[in-house]
Amino acid sequence: MAGLVAAARARELGARPVVHEKGSRPGGSMLLSSCVVWRHREWEDFRAECSTGDERLQRTLFERLDEGIAWLESLGATVLVHGTGNERTVGKRFDPRSLTETLVRAAGDVRLESESSDATILATGGFARRFAEERGLLLRANPWSDGAGLDLARARGAGLSAGIDEFYGRAMPAPPALIDEAGFVPLAQLYGRWSRVLDEAGAEIVHDPSDWSETRLVQAIAGRPGCRAWYLVDDRTLRRPVRERTVAQAIEAARAAGGAVIPPEDLPFEAPAGYRLAVHVQAAVTHTIGGLRIDDRARVLDTEGAPIDGLFAAGAEAGGISTGGYASGLAAALVFGRVAAETVCGPR
């Protein structure tokens, strides 16, 4: 998303950008997402939930997201829902295919299966694939975000942000479940905060109630044997709504995909009483939270904190925005894609 946004904004400002898309199709992981672009409703909540993030970057995202969303709408992107369904946040849900097609048209020259060693704005999606392979996680993202942009910038002396070991992800049905790109959104098991969570040995993984996005829970699962866990749910939890369905329906989707959904008494360890079902889940990475160090003008900074001449980064390429918690990756891509283009071209 960040690369297309940057190109579209740069073209508005009179430039003739070229998008080098490493993949065989445009859209990156944006095309595979639920496409909710959001920010925290209150600035204090953003700072509290992502307390180790760079405050300057967070302030830029918080103050410029609304105009960015309006800009997407002005380009003709289709809004599916005018809201997020979460009282803590504000934003809109776009149709991912419409948004991708809209940005491709606005960007102009998009070259597929193409790479550039002299790019001005790096927007390769971070290093989710590398992160997943190194840690034995499921990759819940496009397969081209392998850290090429990170390596290019590091070779030019770029520094890294905080949170380089943090990631945003979801709990997905564990093998033998079969999960392809079409299942990234509908198969997400988003009810860990209402479940009893046990690792493969039966040890409990305690969930922090403030972790409403379940990002820290998924990171905790990633640190347990096999990067897997069991979600134990009771009758009350099965009836709870989660997004457009109930927890019971989410579990049935996992079962239909081949995931293990069993009575708790069939677990390979003694389970606590009072639960109806046990669902086997695995940690999956959607995008990395750490990355290249940038300033609030999207300039890549070196290890001493000075801007590197002619090098910019946006989207998951840039780290330090939501360190310690989670904020919308699509929002960061939108805001800093536009910021990068404006820094390079000058605002209109």
Side-chain angles (χ1 to χ4, degrees):
M1 182 177 187
L4 292 175
V5 164
R9 182 63 176 137
R11 190 168 295 276
E12 281 186 339
L13 296 173
R16 298 178 62 185
V18 176
V19 178
H20 293 276
E21 170 56 63
K22 184 175 182 177
S24 58
R25 54 136 180 94
S29 295
M30 169 182 66
L31 187 62
L32 309 176
S33 73
S34 58
C35 221
V36 181
V37 186
W38 60 272
R39 63 169 172 81
H40 291 78
R41 185 179 297 276
E42 303 295 338
W43 166 248
E44 293 75 14
D45 289 344
F46 190 2
R47 283 297 298 154
E49 292 180 18
C50 303
S51 58
T52 55
D54 186 316
E55 186 171 352
R56 297 170 305 160
L57 303 183
Q58 292 175 342
R59 178 62 75 176
T60 300
L61 188 154
F62 187 83
E63 293 180 349
R64 295 204 56 185
L65 180 62
D66 294 355
E67 69 182 70
I69 289 176
W71 176 76
L72 290 179
E73 292 185 88
S74 75
L75 295 178
T78 300
V79 176
L80 296 179
V81 181
H82 290 271
T84 66
N86 183 340
E87 63 183 11
R88 301 177 183 86
T89 64
V90 294
K92 298 188 180 184
R93 182 175 184 177
F94 290 85
D95 174 70
R97 187 162 299 280
S98 166
L99 182 54
T100 299
E101 293 170 352
T102 297
L103 288 174
V104 167
R105 286 194 300 270
D109 191 352
V110 180
R111 304 178 187 182
L112 301 181
E113 298 181 313
S114 172
E115 297 183 63
S116 172
S117 61
D118 60 353
T120 301
I121 301 174
L122 299 175
T124 69
F127 55 103
R129 178 178 173 181
R130 181 187 301 178
F131 194 96
E133 290 173 348
E134 289 176 350
R135 291 162 174 77
L137 305 175
L138 174 70
L139 178 64
R140 185 180 175 265
N142 78 81
W144 306 296
S145 294
D146 59 4
L150 186 83
D151 292 342
L152 187 153
R154 291 284 281 167
R156 292 184 56 179
L160 297 178
S161 75
I164 203 69
D165 292 324
E166 297 179 28
F167 70 95
Y168 162 67
R170 291 298 190 201
M172 304 292 289
L178 299 177
I179 302 172
D180 59 16
E181 290 183 347
F184 286 171
V185 173
L187 291 178
Q189 304 297 292
L190 293 172
Y191 49 89
R193 57 195 178 278
W194 301 309
S195 306
R196 187 82 171 265
V197 184
L198 306 177
D199 70 13
E200 296 281 70
E204 185 165 8
I205 302 174
V206 178
H207 177 250
D208 179 354
S210 69
D211 180 27
W212 58 269
S213 69
E214 303 189 11
T215 298
R216 293 195 295 276
L217 174 60
V218 176
Q219 291 184 25
I221 293 171
R224 297 300 177 100
C227 306
R228 299 176 187 177
W230 291 93
Y231 282 3
L232 275 61
V233 297
D234 56 21
D235 289 332
R236 181 182 179 185
T237 296
L238 288 170
R239 294 190 296 269
R240 282 186 178 273
V242 53
R243 293 197 172 172
E244 299 87 9
R245 58 185 177 177
T246 64
V247 171
Q249 289 170 321
I251 292 173
E252 283 309 304
R255 192 200 303 270
V261 180
I262 62 176
E265 54 266 28
D266 291 345
L267 287 168
F269 48 79
E270 185 175 353
Y275 295 94
R276 174 63 64 87
L277 294 174
V279 185
H280 205 194
V281 299
Q282 62 180 323
V285 54
T286 302
H287 65 74
T288 44
I289 288 178
L292 295 174
R293 188 179 175 191
I294 66 168
D295 65 10
D296 56 4
R297 297 178 60 193
R299 299 180 298 181
V300 176
L301 306 179
D302 65 19
T303 54
E304 301 300 319
I308 297 174
D309 186 46
L311 192 61
F312 306 82
E317 203 81 85
I321 298 171
S322 56
T323 312
Y326 174 58
S328 169
L330 295 183
L334 172 58
V335 168
F336 286 97
R338 281 166 51 87
V339 167
E342 291 166 3
T343 303
V344 172
C345 303
R348 184 167 57 185

